[in-house]
Amino acid sequence: MNDHTRGSVFDSDSASLSGTLDEPLLRVENLTTTYDLDKGYIKALDNVSFTLEEGKVLGIVGESGSGKTTLCRSIMRLFSTAHVHTGGSINLAGENLLELTEPMLRRVWGRWVSIVFQDPMTSLSPLMRIGNQVSEGLRIRMSLSRREAKQRAMSILKSVGIKSAKEYFPRYPHQLSGGLRQRVAIAIGVACEPKLLIADEPTTGLDVTIQAQILKLLDKLRYDHKMAIILVTHDVGVAATAADDIAVMYAGRIVEYGPAGTVIRNPLMRYTRALLDTSPHLYHDPHSRLKTIPGHAPDLSNLPAGCPFSTRCVAVGERCHNERPELIGAGDDDTHRYACWHPVDKVGSKTS
């Protein structure tokens, strides 16, 4: 163990904070992740900063390619290739994860931070029974016996809404519905009661009824275990329903950040307003076409000199093409921040 890890809260086999934190559970500062590809360097994350308190939910929203999944994998330190470079700091319980060795990270994964991937059909092993997949982490990370791990795994499966746990325990992933597979993936993620759960698009591909059940389940688990959650989604409505705070990402940057209610009711960055306009609402005519955002997300290897949304924004001005806006506070308390030279000026304003 390196000197900087001595006395770490991760040294204990228990994941209990016991009131030892004088700061947020997670503090991400100036996080930058760069891919070294044949065509050059691509900055997938560009100086991303945010905090997350214990027991709170942060919703990360944005289109495909905005950097959401890269952010998740960077926090988890899942990039093993030499062609991915990560800088900045990721402080979990006061410890910078970017400074930990791989043996030390193994003590963090599962016990302190865990991830539920987007597609359980690809994240679950097709060769292992689901019961063994849930109990494996318990045996490795909590040193439980085979019998103890099985009993605990059965209890966890029931806690995520699989009431007939004994019946499903010996089954393989392909024998389960999409909703049940997602519940199994969540069961694996929460098995060791981590303090932080990263849920990467946990409701994608599920019908609205199952989506609601999964979101309700995550909400129950966070209260039961005092667990913080990073909820990644392209659906602003999902984030509005489940998150305490929302961070809107575009081209690897956070372009708006604040309390969920504030961001949804009074978006200031034009991209956030455009995302909201594309969401379906009950008051829309059932036969009306859904709105879309014109154009395409920018090529990260060839970003515009100014605002990365400038090529798609209807309120674009000369400054937008030449100068990149930084996050600034919208009020005195600085809880709502946005990056836009021509912000939406009032509640209900449209981009078109």
Side-chain angles (χ1 to χ4, degrees), residues 183-239:
R183 290 175 186 272
V184 171
I186 293 172
I188 295 171
V190 303
C192 298
E193 299 185 3
K195 301 307 294 181
L196 171 62
L197 179 69
I198 300 174
D200 187 4
E201 300 272 13
T203 61
T204 296
L206 303 177
D207 65 57
V208 291
T209 302
I210 303 300
Q211 280 188 22
Q213 292 175 1
I214 294 299
L215 292 176
K216 185 177 181 180
L217 169 62
L218 290 173
D219 195 50
K220 179 180 183 300
L221 291 170
R222 72 137 162 174
Y223 280 112
D224 289 347
H225 303 295
K226 295 182 179 179
M227 181 174 62
I229 297 176
I230 294 177
L231 177 63
V232 176
T233 178
H234 64 275
D235 189 334
V236 181
V238 168

